[in-house]
Structures are given as C-alpha cells and as structure tokens.
Amino acid sequence: MVATVIDGKAVAQAIRSEISDEVRLLSQKYGKVPGLAVVIVGNRKDSQSYVSMKRKACAEVGIKSFDVDLPEQVSEADLVKQVHELNANPDVHGILVQLPLPKHINEEKVLTEISLEKDVDGFHPLNIGKLAMKGREPLFLPCTPKANPLDSENFCNGLDYVKKCVDFDQLLVTKSLLKLCEAASVGIYFTTCMQGCLELLHRNGVSIKGKKAVVVGRSNIVGLPVSMLLLKADATVTIVHSHTSDAERIIREADIVIAAAGQPKMIKGSWIKPGAAVIDVGTNAVDDPSKKSGYRLVGDVDFEEASQVAGWITPVPGGVGPMTVTMLLKNTLEGAKRILEQRS
C-alpha cells in the first residue's frame, strides 16, 4: 500500500479562496471587512518576516491588517493598554500578541487581556476551558505550524530560544517554531495547528467518529488541544508521552495518528497500522551536508517508511505548515462575522 500524500498547500489555497469569497460578501452586506491585528514587541528580524507574511496573506483574501510595533523596553502596563485599545477598536476582529515577550513582561497576564471575542489564536483560558468541556463550544478553536524551508541565519538565532524549551513533550510548546517553518525564519505562533490538522483529515475524506486516535506528545500548544478536538469529534483518544509504556504498540493500533513530539523520524513505518491516517505536526532540522543550508527538515514520522503503510500521510514540509496562517485567517473571518451579525 502506498499512502495518499495530503497536500497541505492545495488544501490551504482552497480554504483561502473560500475565505476571500466570504470576505467579499461581508463587505457587500455590512460595508466592513475583517481586521487582524498583530502586536510586536522589539525589533527581531524574524518578527518583521512574520508581519510581512501575515500582511501578504491578509491582502490575498481581503482582510485588513493592523500592525502594532512597540519597543523592547515597553512596560507591561503600556502593552496591556495597547491590547485594550485593540479590544475597543470596532475594525479589529482578531488580535495576536507575538511571543516570546521580553522577560520583564508577564506573557500570561498580557494574553488574558485579549478580548475573548478577538482571541483568534484560540488560547484564551476560557476558550481552552470550553474546549475541554462536553457540550460547550469555544468561540475559537486553536488553529499550528510549519512548512517551508528557512534561512540558516534566522534558524540559528531562533533555535537558541527553542532549545530552552525542548524535551519530548515540550518542544512544541514554543510558539517561536512556527516562523521557523512557515516563513523562512524562526519565531511567532504555534497557533492554528490543531484546527488545521482536523481540517486536513476532513477535506481528504478521513472520518473521525468512532475511530481510534493516538496523539503523540502532550504539549499545551498541540498535543492536549488536538486530543480534545478529536474527542469532541467522537474519536476514542489516547495520548502517548515520554512516560508511556510500549508506545509503539499503542500507536500501531491507531486509525489516526497525530505526531507532535518534536523527535525527528521517531515513528517508524512498522509502528503504523495499515491504512491509518498520519498527520505529522513535527518539524525538525537534521544535518544534511548535501544542502546549501547544511540541514533539511523532517517530521516526527519516518515519511519514507510510513508512506508505504499508511492510507494518508502529510509530508514535512508542505503538510500541516501551510494550514497555519490560513486557519488564522479563517478564525479572523469567523470573529468578524460573529461581531458584525451581533451589531446588525
């Protein structure tokens, strides 16, 4: 059996086309378009790359982009004030604050100040709490990461930050890694991944209800939220982590595998149930002297082996990564629709 390779780029482009059509309808009906604001603290090179990528993506679908650049020395109070102003701005329907923030600022404090209705990142404690509860629906689903090649200079700069967060369960906790994969540099948001994972399954005809799903990794950014999304979709969910006994056997029983451990090629082809759907969230740089950069990107799954056994599989890069910003745009659109409909 040779797996169907899930083309994240094609799926993302199809979704962006749908978003563009809906934005046009909103403009015709309300005279307004969705607005997405990104707050950046400091002058990190990778931050500017992210802003450029986000601005281009917004323009492609007709979403208005708001960029707030603040100095490295900005006080926590002034940053919170800026967030409050965006909360009150009727033209802004989604707010992102770039992480990491300077050490003198409490990230959790700042993030909880973002209006629940504009938390397009999906990580407000109330959104996560509703996601965890049966019969409750969060306003936004956490959207995640990684795809395209990156330049070596920015990779090395960002990797120093990433290394501080690394172990089997925690590598994917650092939101910096999204840039590493999505826009040829390191650093910003590990968002939209979970939503993108399920969207890839749905759009490739993979049913979730009643299936055995195994999530490899239990980070707050990917593993735990995606396991809750799968549970809401009526899958029977098991989480494999660094203290799990006989992980290989558990993974081999899965109809759906979500790999988010941050360990290059950890999951071998022999670990995959024939015909299973495999979504590889991992993006890992491994040495490759044949490449100009000196490295290449691989996932948590051994693609060459697993693709001979699985029914569906995402490549790295080009699988989950292209979905990240696209699902962020989709959340911004949904936020705008909700707000505009309430006001009409």
Side-chain angles (χ1 to χ4, degrees):
M1 175 185 292
V2 178
T4 296
V5 177
I6 297 175
D7 187 343
K9 292 180 181 179
V11 174
Q13 193 54 51
I15 294 173
R16 290 195 187 196
S17 179
E18 294 167 6
I19 292 171
S20 181
D21 290 341
E22 289 203 58
V23 168
R24 195 176 302 111
L25 291 175
L26 274 186
S27 178
Q28 293 171 356
K29 185 174 182 179
Y30 299 107
K32 285 183 174 291
V33 297
L36 175 62
V38 173
V39 180
I40 296 176
V41 179
N43 297 307
R44 289 170 59 104
K45 186 177 178 181
D46 51 313
S47 300
Q48 303 309 317
S49 297
Y50 175 75
V51 171
S52 176
M53 175 188 66
K54 188 268 304 181
R55 185 184 296 118
K56 181 179 178 181
C58 285
E60 179 185 334
V61 299
I63 290 176
K64 188 175 181 179
S65 181
F66 296 82
D67 304 320
V68 179
D69 296 313
L70 300 173
E72 182 84 14
Q73 299 77 21
V74 68
S75 69
E76 181 178 300
D78 285 343
L79 176 54
V80 169
K81 180 181 178 183
Q82 191 66 240
V83 170
H84 288 170
E85 290 178 3
L86 293 172
N87 285 341
N89 188 336
D91 294 325
V92 173
H93 306 99
I95 302 171
L96 290 177
V97 176
Q98 175 193 330
L99 302 181
L101 293 172
K103 292 182 179 179
H104 67 278
I105 296 176
N106 185 322
E107 291 182 352
E108 183 177 357
K109 162 69 174 173
V110 173
L111 295 179
T112 56
E113 294 296 324
I114 297 174
S115 168
L116 185 63
E117 290 75 19
K118 298 186 180 185
D119 173 40
V120 289
D121 212 2
F123 286 110
H124 190 289
L126 287 177
N127 269 325
I128 292 295
K130 287 186 176 183
L131 177 61
M133 297 178 71
K134 183 177 180 181
R136 305 289 179 86
E137 295 297 329
L139 290 181
F140 296 104
L141 296 177
C143 309
T144 165
K146 325 169 190 173
N148 300 325
L150 46 150
D151 67 80
S152 58
E153 178 184 357
N154 282 339
F155 172 73
C156 293
N157 291 339
L159 193 59
D160 290 337
Y161 173 75
V162 172
K163 285 179 178 177
K164 297 176 184 177
C165 307
V166 171
D167 68 22
F168 179 85
D169 300 316
Q170 295 301 325
L171 176 63
L172 293 178
V173 163
T174 169
K175 290 190 174 185
S176 289
L177 203 56
L178 166 61
K179 288 306 321 121
L180 176 151
C181 315
E182 192 62 48
S185 54
V186 183
I188 313 257
Y189 295 105
F190 242 109
T191 64
T192 52
C193 168
M194 292 66 76
Q195 193 177 353
C197 290
L198 268 66
E199 192 75 22
L200 287 174
L201 292 172
H202 171 71
R203 292 189 178 240
N204 281 272
V206 179
S207 62
I208 299 175
K209 186 174 184 178
K211 298 296 181 63
K212 291 183 179 179
V214 170
V215 178
V216 185
R218 56 178 175 180
S219 74
N220 290 332
I221 303 301
V222 181
L224 291 179
V226 80
S227 67
M228 290 188 286
L229 284 175
L230 287 164
L231 192 60
K232 277 189 176 293
D234 295 323
T236 299
V237 182
T238 302
I239 299 175
V240 167
H241 52 79
S242 54
H243 296 283
T244 300
S245 299
D246 203 2
E248 179 180 344
R249 176 188 60 79
I250 296 171
I251 294 170
R252 194 181 294 117
E253 294 176 352
D255 302 304
I256 298 170
V257 176
I258 309 290
Q263 299 293 313
K265 295 189 174 184
M266 183 189 89
I267 300 174
K268 307 302 181 184
S270 60
W271 296 25
I272 302 299
K273 178 181 179 179
V278 179
I279 303 295
D280 195 347
V281 181
T283 296
N284 310 282
V286 297
D287 293 337
D288 188 343
S290 69
K291 300 290 184 181
K292 184 178 180 180
S293 61
Y295 60 83
R296 60 190 171 90
L297 298 181
V298 299
D300 291 349
V301 178
D302 188 319
F303 181 84
E304 288 74 20
E305 291 184 8
S307 62
Q308 301 301 310
V309 183
W312 299 265
I313 190 169
T314 58
V316 175
V320 175
M323 296 293 290
T324 306
V325 171
T326 297
M327 301 314 292
L328 174 63
L329 298 176
K330 185 173 182 179
N331 273 359
T332 303
L333 169 65
E334 294 304 317
K337 288 165 62 177
R338 187 181 300 114
I339 291 172
L340 293 174
E341 288 169 1
Q342 288 174 352
R343 292 174 181 168
S344 64

